[in-house]
C-alpha cells in the first residue's frame, strides 16, 4: 500500500504517544498519526480528519474507550478500531470485540500492534469490496426487475435461485414462493417434457432457445420464447442455468388470426371462382330446358324436362347462396317485413336444432317495414340463433320476437336460457375472431359480421347476459318511412366524384352512369393519379369510387389514404371479395357492376356525408 494511512490516536499519556510513534516507525506502512485527548477533539477529528484507523486507550481520565468506540461506530462505521491499553481484563476485551472493535493490544506487547493494524486495514478493505459488489449485485437485480421478461436462474439440480418481478407477473408466483422450488414442478407437463433435451443442449453447447407452452399459477396456458444459457463457476464447471422467457401468447394469437383470415380470403376467392364456373354450366341447361318445354308434347318427356329445370334452378340457387356467403350479400336492399324473416328463421331452428331446445316466436301484427338486404338479415338472425343453440348444450328455450317501438324502430329479440356470459367474455364478443369455442367449432366471426351488417343498415345491436340464466340480443332497425324514401334521391347535383380504376371499361361505365345522372366525374387510372386528382379537388370532391385492390406506393390502401388527405370524403370501394381496401370504405359495391346499385350506393354515401 503506497497511500498514507491516517491513524487517529486517543491517548492521554504523552509518553505513551511518543512510544507508539517510535514503535510504528518500524512499520512498512506510511503512517500519519494524530493524537487527541478529549471527547470533543476526538469527535471533531472523526468528522473532519476522517481517519483510516482508530487506536484508543481503554481507560482515560476524562473520557472512556468504550464510549469512543460506540461513537466511532456511529460516525464512521467502516473505520477499524483497535484498543491499545496497559490493562484490559479478559471480560472487557471480549465485550469490546462484541461492540465492534477489531482488535485489542496490550501496551506491554507493542510489536503486536503493527500486525494488528495491518490486519484491521486488510479486513476493512475486504469489507469495502464486499459492500461494493453487494451493491452492484443489488443494482443489477433491480435492473432485472425492470424487465418484463421472466428471468429465472436455477442451480444444476433445477432449484430456483433467482426469480425476477417479470417472472412474478408472468407466472403469478411471488419470489418468496418460487425460490428453492424445483423448476420442473412449475410450468406444466408440456414444458417439462421438453426440459431434458433443452438442458442437454445447454450443457453441451452453452445455450438453448425455443418456444414452449407454460402453465401459470392460475392455470392459464401461455406461449413463451425461452432462451437458456449455462453459467459456469470460477473453476469452469457448470454452476447454474439462466433462462429468459418472453410471453409471446398475444403475438402468436395475432399470427394465427392473420393466417385464418388469409385462409378465409382464399377460400372466398376459390368459392366465388367455382360459383362463377357453375353458373356458366347451369345457364345453358336452364335455357335449353326452357326451350325443350315448348317443343315437347309427350307427357313423360315434359316431366323429365321439368325435373331438369327444377334441379338446375336449385343448383343455381345454391350457387347464389354460396356467392352471398362469400361476398356477404349482393347488397340489394328492398323493403322487407322483418317479422316474416324472423318466422322463417324460427322455422329453421325448430326443424334443425336438437329436440331439447324449445323454439318459440312472437311477431307483432302490422310490423312496419325496413329497408334492408334480406340475405344479410337472414344471416344475422341465423348467427344469433346458432349462438343461442351452442349456449344451451343441455337444452333450454329459444325465443324470437319482433315488434315496433315508438321511436320508429323495429326491434328483433333473440333470447336463450343458456349459459350466459361472464363480463370479461361479454366485453369481447364483437371482436373479430373472439371465440370461446374449441378450435374448429367456431371462427369467432359470427358476431363481428352481425354487428357489421346491423351497423351498415343504420341499426343498433345490444346484448344483455346473466351467467347461468341466459342471454338476450336485441337488434334495432330504423323503419322505412315515406319521408326517408323520398329524400334518397339518386340524382346528382353536380357533385364531384373521383373514379379510380385501372380498368378502362370500369372507368367508362361508372363515368357514364354518373354523368348521366347529374354528377361531375373525374377519373384516374392509377393510385398516384387518384391522389393527384383528390388533392386538386379537395374541398370540392364529395365521393371517391375506387377499386378496393388499389394501393399507394407506401402499400396502404387507396381508400384509407384518400380519407386522410380529404377528410370527410365519402368512400366507396369496388370489390370482388373481402379485402382490406373494402374495410376502409363507407360502402362496398360488388362486381359485376350494376347501374342501379351504383347510383343507390352513391346516394346513400352522399346522405351519410350530409348528415354528418
Ligand atoms: N347466446 C350466447 N350465450 C352465451 N355465449 C354467447 C352467446 N352468443 C355468443 N356467445 C359468446 O360469444 C363468442 C363469440 O360469438 P361469435 O358468434 O362471434 O363466434 P362463435 O360463435 O364462437 O364462432 P362462429 O364464428 O362460428 O360464430 C362465443 O364464442 C361465445 O363465447
Ligand atoms: Mg357464432
Amino acid at each position: 500500500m503506497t497511500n498514507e494511512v491516517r491513524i487517529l490516536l486517543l491517548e492521554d499519556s504523552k509518553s505513551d504517544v511518543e512510544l507508539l510513534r517510535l514503535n510504528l516507525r518500524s512499520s512498512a506502512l506510511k503512517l500519519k498519526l494524530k493524537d487527541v485527548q478529549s471527547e470533543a477533539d476526538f469527535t471533531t477529528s472523526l468528522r473532519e480528519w476522517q481517519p483510516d484507523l482508530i487506536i484508543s486507550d481503554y481507560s482515560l481520565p476524562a473520557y472512556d474507550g468504550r464510549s469512543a468506540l460506540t461513537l466511532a461506530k456511529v460516525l464512521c462505521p467502516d473505520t477499524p478500531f483497535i484498543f491499545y491499553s496497559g490493562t484490559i481484563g479478559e471480560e472487557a476485551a471480549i465485550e469490546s470485540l462484541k461492540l465492534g472493535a477489531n482488535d485489542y493490544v496490550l501496551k506491554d506487547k507493542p510489536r503486536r500492534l503493527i500486525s494488528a493494524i495491518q490486519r484491521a486495514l486488510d479486513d476493512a478493505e475486504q469489507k469495502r469490496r464486499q459492500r461494493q459488489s453487494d451493491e452492484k449485485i443489488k443494482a443489477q437485480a433491480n435492473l432485472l426487475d425492470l424487465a418484463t421478461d421472466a428471468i429465472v436462474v436455477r442451480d444444476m439440480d433445477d432449484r430456483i435461485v433467482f426469480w425476477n418481478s417479470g417472472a412474478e407477473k408472468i407466472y403469478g408466483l411471488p419470489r418468496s414462493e418460487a425460490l428453492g422450488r424445483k423448476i420442473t414442478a412449475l410450468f406444466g407437463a408440456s414444458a417439462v417434457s421438453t426440459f431434458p433435451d433443452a438442458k442437454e443442449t445447454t450443457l453441451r453447447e452453452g445455450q438453448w432457445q425455443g418456444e414452449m407452452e407454460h402453465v401459470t399459477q392460475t392455470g392459464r396456458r401461455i406461449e413463451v420464447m425461452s432462451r437458456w444459457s449455462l453459467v459456469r463457476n470460477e473453476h469452469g464447471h457448470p454452476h447454474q442455468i439462466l433462462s429468459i422467457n418472453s410471453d409471446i401468447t398475444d403475438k402468436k394469437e395475432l399470427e394465427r388470426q392473420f393466417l385464418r383470415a388469409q385462409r378465409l380470403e382464399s377460400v372466398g376467392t376459390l368459392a366465388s371462382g367455382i360459383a362463377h364456373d357453375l353458373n356458366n354450366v347451369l345457364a345453358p341447361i336452364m335455357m335449353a330446358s326452357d326451350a325443350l318445354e315448348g317443343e315437347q308434347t309427350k307427357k313423360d318427356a315434359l316431366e323429365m324436362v321439368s325435373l331438369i329445370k327444377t334441379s338446375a334452378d336449385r343448383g343455381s340457387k345454391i350457387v347464389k347462396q354460396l356467392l352471398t356467403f362469400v361476398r356477404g350479400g349482393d347488397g340489394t336492399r328492398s323493403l322487407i317485413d322483418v317479422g316474416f324473416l324472423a318466422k322463417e328463421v324460427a322455422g329453421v331452428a325448430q326443424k334443425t336444432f336438437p329436440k331439447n331446445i324449445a323454439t318459440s316466436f312472437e311477431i307483432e301484427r302490422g310490423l312496419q317495414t325496413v329497408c334492408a338486404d334480406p340475405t344479410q338479415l337472414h344471416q344475422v338472425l341465423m348467427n344469433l340463433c346458432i349462438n343461442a343453440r351452442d349456449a344451451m348444450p343441455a337444452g333450454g328455450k329459444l325465443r324470437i320476437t319482433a315488434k315496433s317501438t315508438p321511436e320508429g324502430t323495429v326491434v328483433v329479440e333473440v333470447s336463450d336460457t343458456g349459459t350466459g356470459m361472464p363480463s370479461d367474455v361479454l366485453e369481447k364478443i364483437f371482436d373479430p375472431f373472439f371465440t370461446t369455442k374449441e378450435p374448429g367449432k367456431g371462427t369467432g366471426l359470427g358476431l363481428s359480421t352481425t354487428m357489421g351488417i346491423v351497423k351498415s343498415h343504420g341499426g343498433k345491436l345490444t346484448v344483455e347476459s346473466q351467467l347461468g340464466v341466459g342471454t338476450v340480443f336485441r337488434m334495432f332497425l330504423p323503419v322505412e318511412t315515406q319521408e326517408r324514401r323520398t329524400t334518397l334521391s339518386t340524382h346528382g347535383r353536380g357533385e364531384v366524384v373521383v373514379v379510380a380504376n385501372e380498368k378502362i371499361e370500369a372507368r367508362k361505365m361508372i363515368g357514364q352512369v354518373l354523368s348521366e345522372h347529374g354528377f361531375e366525374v373525374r377519373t384516374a387510372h392509377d393510385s398516384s393519379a387518384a391522389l393527384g386528382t383528390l388533392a386538386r379537388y379537395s374541398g370540392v370532391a364529395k365521393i371517391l369510387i375506387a377499386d378496393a385492390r388499389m394501393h399507394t406506393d407506401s402499400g396502404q390502401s387507396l381508400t384509407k389514404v384518400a380519407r386522410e388527405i380529404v377528410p370527410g370524403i365519402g368512400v366507396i370501394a369496388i370489390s370482388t371479395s373481402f379485402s382490406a381496401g373494402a374495410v376502409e370504405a363507407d360502402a362496398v359495391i360488388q362486381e359485376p357492376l350494376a347501374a342501379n346499385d351504383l347510383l343507390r350506393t352513391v346516394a346513400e354515401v352522399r346522405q351519410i356525408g350530409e348528415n354528418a
Side-chain angles (χ1 to χ4, degrees), residues 120-294:
L121 288 173
D122 288 350
D123 278 359
E125 174 65 13
Q126 204 172 1
K127 261 192 209 142
R128 197 180 57 78
R129 285 212 190 119
Q130 180 68 42
R131 203 184 48 235
Q132 264 180 358
S133 85
D134 283 354
E135 271 165 11
K136 201 164 148 195
I137 289 172
K138 215 163 138 196
Q140 281 169 345
N142 285 343
L143 276 182
L144 292 182
D145 273 345
L146 290 179
T148 46
D149 289 340
I151 301 178
V152 180
V153 180
R154 61 187 192 268
D155 62 18
M156 299 317 288
D157 289 329
D158 289 332
R159 287 199 190 281
I160 295 170
V161 295
F162 182 83
W163 185 260
N164 76 336
S165 313
E168 289 187 326
K169 277 192 210 100
I170 290 181
Y171 297 108
L173 184 68
R175 181 173 309 165
S176 55
E177 285 175 40
L179 294 183
R181 290 262 296 267
K182 281 243 186 192
I183 201 161
T184 44
L186 283 183
F187 298 150
S190 149
V192 171
S193 67
T194 60
F195 275 16
D197 278 352
K199 195 167 174 180
E200 202 193 296
T201 311
T202 310
L203 284 173
R204 197 177 54 238
E205 292 168 14
Q207 57 192 28
W208 175 87
Q209 167 165 339
E211 289 177 10
M212 295 189 186
E213 188 189 88
H214 284 181
V215 181
T216 70
Q217 289 300 297
T218 57
R220 197 166 69 92
R221 288 175 187 283
I222 56 169
E223 286 171 83
V224 300
M225 178 62 170
S226 192
R227 290 168 294 260
W228 297 18
S229 319
L230 186 65
V231 181
R232 294 178 183 277
N233 63 13
E234 63 264 38
H235 310 297
H237 299 309
H239 176 50
Q240 290 172 335
I241 292 175
L242 164 83
S243 47
I244 301 179
N245 299 338
S246 326
D247 184 349
I248 53 167
T249 316
D250 291 348
K251 186 173 150 249
K252 283 274 164 185
E253 182 53 30
L254 279 176
E255 243 173 61
R256 268 194 292 270
Q257 287 186 2
F258 180 69
L259 287 178
R260 217 181 291 148
Q262 261 190 341
R263 205 162 50 229
L264 277 179
E265 185 165 344
S266 49
V267 167
T269 316
L270 190 70
S272 54
I274 294 174
H276 190 77
D277 289 350
L278 272 181
N279 257 341
N280 291 345
V281 173
L282 289 171
I285 300 180
M286 285 166 68
M287 277 189 290
S289 49
D290 269 348
L292 275 179
E293 212 171 22

Side-chain angles (χ1 to χ4, degrees), residues 387 391 416 421 429 434-437 442-447 471 473:
N387 281 348
D416 64 62
M421 289 171 263
I429 55 172
F434 173 79
T435 179
T436 56
K437 295 171 189 169
T443 58
L445 284 173
L447 284 178
T471 305
F473 280 91

Side-chain angles (χ1 to χ4, degrees), residues 204-444:
R204 197 177 54 238
E205 292 168 14
Q207 57 192 28
W208 175 87
Q209 167 165 339
E211 289 177 10
M212 295 189 186
E213 188 189 88
H214 284 181
V215 181
T216 70
Q217 289 300 297
T218 57
R220 197 166 69 92
R221 288 175 187 283
I222 56 169
E223 286 171 83
V224 300
M225 178 62 170
S226 192
R227 290 168 294 260
W228 297 18
S229 319
L230 186 65
V231 181
R232 294 178 183 277
N233 63 13
E234 63 264 38
H235 310 297
H237 299 309
H239 176 50
Q240 290 172 335
I241 292 175
L242 164 83
S243 47
I244 301 179
N245 299 338
S246 326
D247 184 349
I248 53 167
T249 316
D250 291 348
K251 186 173 150 249
K252 283 274 164 185
E253 182 53 30
L254 279 176
E255 243 173 61
R256 268 194 292 270
Q257 287 186 2
F258 180 69
L259 287 178
R260 217 181 291 148
Q262 261 190 341
R263 205 162 50 229
L264 277 179
E265 185 165 344
S266 49
V267 167
T269 316
L270 190 70
S272 54
I274 294 174
H276 190 77
D277 289 350
L278 272 181
N279 257 341
N280 291 345
V281 173
L282 289 171
I285 300 180
M286 285 166 68
M287 277 189 290
S289 49
D290 269 348
L292 275 179
E293 212 171 22
E295 304 231 330
Q296 291 296 326
T297 45
K298 270 209 242 146
K299 194 167 167 268
D300 286 0
L302 265 179
E303 265 171 19
M304 260 187 278
V305 171
S306 146
L307 186 67
I308 296 177
K309 253 185 84 171
T310 39
S311 298
D313 207 38
R314 196 176 308 145
S316 124
K317 275 198 184 122
I318 294 174
V319 170
K320 265 210 196 92
Q321 244 176 21
L322 187 63
L323 274 177
T324 38
F325 174 72
V326 172
R327 294 170 171 176
D330 59 3
T332 6
R333 293 197 181 169
S334 49
L335 291 182
I336 61 163
D337 176 0
V338 185
F340 177 75
L341 210 66
K343 226 184 282 178
E344 206 177 66
V345 171
V348 175
Q350 254 158 0
K351 271 188 232 121
T352 61
F353 286 2
K355 292 282 162 290
N356 57 8
I357 294 178
T359 307
S360 63
F361 61 87
E362 188 185 326
I363 313 294
E364 192 184 78
R365 275 166 160 269
L367 199 64
Q368 282 166 291
T369 50
V370 300
C371 176
D373 177 341
T375 330
Q376 290 187 339
L377 282 197
H378 196 269
Q379 193 184 348
V380 164
L381 293 177
M382 271 325 287
N383 274 343
L384 296 178
C385 288
I386 290 172
N387 281 348
R389 178 200 65 190
D390 294 346
M392 299 187 285
K397 291 191 190 112
L398 167 65
R399 189 169 168 74
I400 306 173
T401 67
K403 54 178 183 259
S404 307
T405 70
E407 295 82 41
T409 58
V410 168
V411 49
V412 184
E413 207 175 276
V414 177
S415 58
D416 64 62
T417 56
T419 54
M421 289 171 263
S423 57
D424 59 323
V425 168
L426 206 55
E427 272 167 26
K428 299 193 207 108
I429 55 172
F430 296 112
D431 293 353
F433 298 113
F434 173 79
T435 179
T436 56
K437 295 171 189 169
E438 286 165 39
K441 285 266 168 68
T443 58

Side-chain angles (χ1 to χ4, degrees), residues 36-57:
V36 290
Q37 281 76 43
S38 67
E39 177 180 1
D41 285 349
F42 182 67
T43 315
T44 333
S45 300
L46 282 185
R47 283 219 175 92
E48 285 160 18
W49 197 61
Q50 295 181 347
D52 299 310
L53 184 109
I54 302 157
I55 299 177
S56 166
D57 200 347

